[in-house]
Amino acid sequence: MNNVVSSGTMGSPAAELADPRLLAALHRDMLRFARLQLRDQAMAEDAVQEAIEAALVGVARYAGDAALKTWVFGILRNKIVDILRRGAKTVSLSSVLGDEEGEDPDAALDALFRTNGHWQATSRPAAWAAPEQSFENKQFWVVFEACLDHLPENVARVFMMREMLGLDTAEICSEVGITTNNCHVILHRARTGLRGCLESNWFVKGECRTC
Amino acid sequence: MLSCKDATRMCSEALDRPLGLRERLTLRMHLMMCSGCTNYHEQMVWLRRISSTYAGGAFADPTAPDKSDTATKPPPPADET
């Protein structure tokens, strides 16, 4: 742990957690995140409740230089991983492979490429200008959530286990009951879908494409 | 030569497992000649940063007063559980 207490402008971490207005806002954000990961209101509420309790117990020892919110979200992510491990096998193989809607799960991906496997002119990735500047923009996160939401549910779920909960592919495979190859296929699909969605709804929105 | 579809798959897999020497060389050759896949490749790294920033709670609730500076650093591992 860090030896410097960074209280910033908000007072001590303990005081932040004790402020009902801040706690309510934190709770709302946590619940939104947990619901997205777990796809289950009751489980999400449990995870958030447990995380907040752990934070309240641990806050006296917390002296990190990261924002309180980042720290609390770290606890929440661990709780979510615990729940996924405990409950496991909640995602069925067939739904992960994406055939529940009766459509070819690879159709969206294939549509980006010509038959020879090269980019269609309209889908060739364009350069993104200064992506880090978007991080401070509230509207960017709204678009990002909408793009996540736009992915097939279980594709999004595997993506989030990998990129937000930090599980490795071997663990995801065993939790979800798919092969390593399927895991790579799903992650490729998820990343390509998200990339395209962010590009057309945020980074290159309405601009002339010069590729 | 590697198709763009295969190249993007390799860019994605590079985030999940170390690519072999042969894969790295084939991919690098392709990227030298293909601006679309070069953009894709860079954006995979951005996508990872965006996701971990999001997972660190940096997305802003419109009513939340907390304007944290966590956007550019990855969240620290939490060891409280």
Side-chain angles (χ1 to χ4, degrees), chain A residues 1 10 21-22 25 28-29 32-33 36-37 54 58 61 65-67 69-71 73-75 77-79 82 109-110 113 116-119 124-128 131-132 135-136 138 140-141 144-145 148 159 162-164 169 181 184-185 187-188 191-192 194-195 198-199 203, chain B residues 1-17 30 34-81:
Chain A
M1 266 289 156
M10 312 293 296
R21 212 167 69 89
L22 291 179
R28 201 162 44 234
D29 283 354
R32 209 158 91 242
F33 181 76
L36 203 59
Q37 307 291 322
R61 287 180 289 118
D65 58 358
K69 190 174 181 185
T70 306
W71 175 69
F73 264 72
I75 300 174
R77 287 198 305 278
N78 282 342
K79 296 290 178 195
D82 285 347
L109 186 66
D110 285 336
F113 300 96
N116 64 3
H118 293 280
W119 292 106
R124 188 181 302 133
W128 292 355
E132 71 276 15
F135 290 18
E136 294 300 319
K138 286 173 188 167
F140 172 72
W141 297 111
F144 180 65
E145 275 184 12
L148 271 178
F159 175 82
R162 177 76 188 110
E163 298 292 344
M164 294 179 189
T169 46
N181 185 57
H184 287 141
V185 168
L187 286 169
H188 179 217
R191 289 173 178 136
T192 305
L194 270 181
R195 193 215 70 78
L198 287 176
E199 181 158 308
F203 288 112
Chain B
M1 184 183 135
L2 204 62
S3 73
C4 294
K5 189 180 175 185
D6 293 338
T8 60
R9 161 91 188 245
M10 240 182 236
C11 292
S12 171
E13 280 190 37
L15 297 172
D16 306 314
R17 65 174 178 89
H30 181 96
C34 179
S35 64
C37 288
T38 300
N39 288 333
Y40 184 99
H41 185 240
E42 286 170 9
Q43 288 155 8
M44 287 301 103
V45 179
W46 279 112
L47 203 51
R48 174 154 283 181
R49 275 188 64 188
I50 291 168
S51 303
S52 65
T53 302
Y54 181 83
F59 58 91
D61 184 299
T63 56
D66 181 20
K67 193 86 175 80
S68 66
D69 61 347
T70 58
T72 54
K73 32 185 182 184
D79 51 6
E80 300 299 319
T81 51

Side-chain angles (χ1 to χ4, degrees), chain A residues 143-162:
Chain A
V143 171
F144 180 65
E145 275 184 12
C147 285
L148 271 178
D149 214 41
H150 190 66
L151 292 174
E153 178 171 326
N154 288 312
V155 170
R157 200 168 165 138
V158 169
F159 175 82
M160 290 188 288
M161 286 169 103
R162 177 76 188 110

